[in-house]
Structure formats: C-alpha cells, structure tokens
Amino acid sequence: MGTISGTLSKHPNAVVVWVDAHADVNTVSTTPTGNIHGMPAAFLLGLPSTETVPEFAWLTQSKTIPKLHTNSIVFIGLRDVDPGEKKILKENGITAFGMHEVDKYGIGEVVERALDAVNPHRDRPIHLTFDVDALDPSVAPSTGTPVRGGLTFREGHYICEAIAETGLLAALDLVVSLLFFFDVSSLKCFVSLQEVNPSLNDEFDAQQTVSVGCSLVRSALGETLL
C-alpha cells in the first residue's frame, strides 16, 4: 500500500498492473480470514468499510494521496479468489485476467489486453506489483501462499519484459524476499523488494525463489534475452 500510494502521490495518473495469484481486494466486510494482507487493493481503491480500520487512516482519510481508480488497475494471473472478491471485481468493473485467460489467449495477448484496459494510449506511468506466488510453485516454491496452476517461468518474465518495453515503468514491487542486493543508484524508477520468509522451505527452494525474483527484476528494468 505504501509504495503504490507513493507512486500515486508522485504520478496521480499512474496505472497499476497487479500480478498475483490472489486479488487482495477483500474488505473488512468480505474477508473470510480477517488477514490484512488480503486487503491492500481494497484500501488503495477506498472501497466501503476500509475506512473503519484506524491503522490505515493515513491512506483512507488522506487529503493528499489520490485514490486508485477502478479503471486504473488490472490483475494478471489470478487463480485463488474469494467469493466476496469476485463480486467486488465484477461490481466495480475491475479488469482481471485469471489463469483461464492466460491458458486461452496466451500471455502475450493477455498483457496487451491488460495494458489496453488501463493504458490504451500508452501514455500513463505504470506501477508493476508482482507477487511471486503468481508463478507456479514449481518455479517459485518459497512462498507462504502457494497455489498450483500458476504462471510459468517464461510467462512471468514476459510480463516484466513487456512492461519494460513500454518505457513507462515508474515503480516496481516484487513480493518475494529481502535477500536481494542491487545497486539502485542509477534507476529512474522506484524498486521495492518485499516479504516471504525463506525458512518456509528448504535452502534450495529459497535460493531458487530468490534467483527467479532477481531475474524478474532485471527483466522489468530492461534486461533482454538478445
């Protein structure tokens, strides 16, 4: 929430491409678990009942941080969405591409449709938030919320490559691990590296996940195969 809020403060017209197995758009009223980590998109969108959580009044009651509009966020890779979240997505007209659409159309077409939905003229800054649980657990096993049937290694990288090709990347969240070492002094966009306890799996799994995360960041920042 903090990074996207920061992006919106700097670029009020920014769009968010949210790559995740989960929609994270539950509200206080719809959450089946009460876990805040399943609600960040709802807080950013200012959905009903989010204002009842005093810990996030800095966001929901802010006069300076723009709210994220429902037509400025698009989801890719969803496959574990709660019933309340499905209703929220449909009622608010939020564009979302689940793994069904990835299988049906291919990742190239999905990314194009996603960008067309939120950034049709390719003239708005992009905040990319990429949770590694969007990837299949066989690719990134060290995550607290694994869901089978996710993006392949190449599908995940294609998303990052395609965003890089737009030249519009303003900020990047990679929800994977704190065990990264990058020289970010020359970057023109903000990179946030977050979450996951490598002890969730054995050392090999943790190293595999960290390696994939590093590779995704490089791709989003413009590294190409050729």
Side-chain angles (χ1 to χ4, degrees):
M1 285 184 283
T3 53
I4 294 178
S5 296
T7 297
L8 292 172
S9 295
K10 177 69 174 179
H11 306 287
N13 66 329
V15 302
V16 176
V17 177
W18 193 299
V19 185
D20 205 318
H22 313 88
D24 292 344
V25 76
N26 267 309
T27 68
V28 175
S29 301
T30 65
T31 175
T33 64
N35 291 328
I36 293 292
H37 67 74
M39 306 181 193
F43 282 103
L44 290 162
L45 292 163
L47 297 182
S49 78
T50 54
E51 74 283 353
T52 64
V53 183
E55 290 81 1
F56 296 103
W58 62 268
L59 173 60
T60 58
Q61 299 177 31
S62 174
K63 303 297 184 183
T64 58
I65 302 174
K67 290 287 189 296
L68 181 64
H69 297 295
T70 54
N71 62 358
S72 295
I73 182 172
V74 60
F75 292 91
I76 299 175
L78 299 183
R79 60 189 183 279
D80 186 11
V81 184
D82 294 325
E85 293 180 303
K86 293 178 182 179
K87 185 177 180 182
I88 288 171
L89 292 173
K90 291 177 181 177
E91 290 184 347
N92 289 278
I94 299 172
T95 303
F97 298 92
M99 287 308 300
H100 174 81
E101 286 72 35
V102 173
D103 292 339
K104 184 176 182 178
Y105 302 116
I107 194 61
E109 180 67 17
V110 164
V111 172
E112 283 300 303
R113 292 188 181 197
L115 291 174
D116 286 343
V118 294
N119 203 353
H121 302 296
R122 305 297 193 269
D123 58 356
R124 300 171 65 184
I126 297 172
H127 184 118
L128 173 62
T129 179
F130 197 123
D131 191 325
V132 292
D133 71 19
L135 301 171
D136 191 80
S138 63
V139 178
S142 189
T143 173
T145 49
V147 186
R148 291 184 301 173
L151 298 168
T152 66
F153 179 90
R154 275 301 309 150
E155 286 170 341
H157 281 75
Y158 182 87
I159 295 170
C160 294
E161 292 162 0
I163 297 297
E165 287 176 351
T166 68
L168 298 169
L169 183 66
L172 165 66
D173 289 325
L174 183 69
V175 185
V176 54
S177 175
L178 291 173
L179 301 178
F180 288 92
F181 301 92
F182 287 105
D183 178 7
V184 298
S185 59
S186 61
L187 296 183
K188 295 182 180 179
C189 68
F190 177 78
V191 180
S192 171
L193 306 168
Q194 307 176 29
E195 206 197 313
V196 169
N197 182 354
S199 66
L200 289 169
N201 289 288
D202 60 34
E203 183 177 353
F204 177 81
D205 285 352
Q207 288 298 322
Q208 177 182 337
T209 305
V210 169
S211 178
V212 170
C214 290
S215 184
L216 289 170
V217 169
R218 293 196 301 270
S219 293
L221 297 180
E223 183 177 271
T224 60
L225 295 177
L226 296 176

